[in-house]
Amino acid sequence: MPDSPEQMIAEARKAFFVMFGLLAVVWLVQLANFADHYALSRDYAVVSGDPGTLPDILVAPLLHWSWAHIESNSGPLFVFGFLAAYRGVLRFLALTLLIAVSSGAVVWLFERGDVATVGASGLIFGYFGYVVVRGLFDRHLIDTLVGVVMGASFAYLLTVAVPGTPGVSWLGHLGGLIGGLLGAWLFRDRHTRTPVPAPTAAPAAHPAPGDPTRAALYKELDDLGLL
């Protein structure tokens, strides 16, 4: 985890390009998908209970069903992804894998069998959950404040992670959110702080040589066991 301002700026720059690259890949895949009448979404969607679609858990977040679908996901994906990545790109990549697996697994286990699920919204909810609670686990003031602001500003997103939301995979959203919260704990900052040594007692003052009055006082105190 970067500590100095220079390291943070360097990681933020990496995070920007990583998210720009990820978004570019998602849009290039959408172009190919659209040209093939969304055959990629049909072929690589996650379908509950179908063992053949388990590997598609890692591919489905890159696919969408329409231009409106990808447009609605692109902005939040970039914003929350950048906030999740700016403190460490390597940790962000591991987080992304965890969220993709948790989101896809929840869909595969609990979704209706006739529903084919694709889309980056599981990643979005995972990044959102991670950003909101990361500062609490890392005990980092700036990240805590970012989490409070993001949580207060986008709390409405949680309304599409509950049962009954029409037209969306609320299970994918919920699974992604679980993965993000779990990732905030698993990838928390574990560096140990250097203990501050306890102050040592100042040495007892001794009377200056050649001072008979202080020497006598010192002897009396020493005889009484007070020195």
Side-chain angles (χ1 to χ4, degrees):
M1 184 173 180
D3 293 319
S4 68
E6 293 78 9
Q7 288 177 314
M8 289 181 60
I9 292 173
E11 288 297 327
R13 187 182 297 112
K14 291 179 187 177
F16 176 85
F17 286 111
V18 165
M19 288 311 304
F20 184 84
L22 176 60
L23 211 57
V25 169
V26 169
W27 276 82
L28 288 174
V29 169
Q30 170 64 10
L31 287 172
N33 202 9
F34 174 76
D36 200 18
H37 305 287
Y38 293 98
L40 292 176
S41 292
R42 293 190 298 271
D43 294 340
Y44 294 98
V46 178
V47 179
S48 178
D50 184 352
T53 66
L54 275 175
D56 301 334
I57 285 175
L58 302 179
V59 180
L62 303 177
L63 300 168
H64 294 82
W65 288 115
S66 66
W67 291 107
H69 190 193
I70 190 174
E71 287 168 5
S72 64
N73 279 343
S74 294
L77 179 65
F78 186 87
V79 172
F80 291 124
F82 173 79
L83 291 175
Y86 87 101
R87 280 200 172 274
V89 169
L90 290 179
R91 177 160 49 176
F92 169 75
L93 296 178
L95 173 70
T96 300
L97 179 61
L98 173 63
I99 294 171
V101 171
S102 66
S103 177
V106 170
V107 169
W108 193 87
L109 289 171
F110 301 111
E111 186 60 88
R112 301 191 310 274
D114 59 341
V115 175
T117 301
V118 298
S121 53
L123 293 180
I124 293 170
F125 274 78
Y127 296 151
F128 171 74
Y130 176 79
V131 167
V132 168
V133 303
R134 171 183 56 190
L136 299 178
F137 289 114
D138 286 346
R139 298 181 181 181
H140 194 280
L141 178 59
I142 293 178
D143 288 341
T144 301
L145 293 176
V146 170
V148 170
V149 172
M150 292 295 104
S153 301
F154 296 94
Y156 68 88
L157 288 176
L158 299 179
T159 61
V160 288
V162 295
T165 306
V168 299
S169 176
W170 69 269
L171 283 167
H173 297 169
L174 180 61
L177 183 63
I178 292 172
L181 297 176
L182 179 61
W185 180 76
L186 288 177
F187 304 126
R188 67 191 183 278
D189 183 17
R190 289 182 172 86
H191 74 270
T192 56
R193 300 181 183 275
T194 304
V196 179
T200 57
H206 293 279
D211 188 343
T213 304
R214 298 180 69 179
L217 177 61
Y218 176 78
K219 184 177 183 307
E220 291 179 8
L221 293 174
D222 190 40
D223 291 341
L224 293 173
L226 300 176
L227 291 178

